[in-house]
Amino acid sequence: MDPIKEEQRLAALRGLNLLDTDPEEAFDSITDLAVTLTGASMAAISLIDEDRQWFKSIIGLDVSEGPRDIAFCDHAIREDRTLYV
């Protein structure tokens, strides 16, 4: 991963002021819609900081965060192409 791009990404993330904030109806509506439209048992809006994957909204799992090194999102942001799972 390009260290400069990663620093820019982290600065942009911090600038959003979303990390460690309370749940918000707008984000929960998006995850609810994703579950409804796809029939999936789980949906999440996650943000990746230096060390963790933090869930702004999540349905189907009872967690609020997890280690970055095992997150699919971490693998996706390390690539310059689409990650297919």
Side-chain angles (χ1 to χ4, degrees):
M1 178 183 310
D2 181 339
I4 294 172
K5 285 184 181 179
E6 176 64 357
E7 273 306 308
Q8 291 171 338
R9 188 192 69 77
L10 289 169
L13 174 61
R14 287 188 287 272
L16 294 172
N17 294 316
L18 286 174
L19 289 170
D20 301 309
T21 57
D22 291 333
E24 295 180 51
E25 186 176 333
F27 290 96
D28 292 342
S29 293
I30 294 168
T31 52
D32 184 57
L33 183 61
V35 165
T36 300
L37 291 176
T38 65
S41 59
M42 181 271 167
I45 297 172
S46 63
L47 304 169
I48 302 286
D49 69 11
E50 293 88 348
D51 302 310
R52 66 192 170 135
Q53 175 177 0
W54 179 77
F55 299 105
K56 176 62 179 164
S57 178
I58 190 164
I59 294 173
L61 289 176
D62 190 23
V63 297
S64 61
E65 64 183 64
R68 177 179 172 160
D69 62 343
I70 63 168
F72 279 116
C73 294
D74 181 56
H75 296 287
I77 64 175
R78 290 179 181 274
E79 298 292 328
D80 287 332
R81 56 193 169 96
T82 303
L83 173 67
Y84 295 95
V85 179

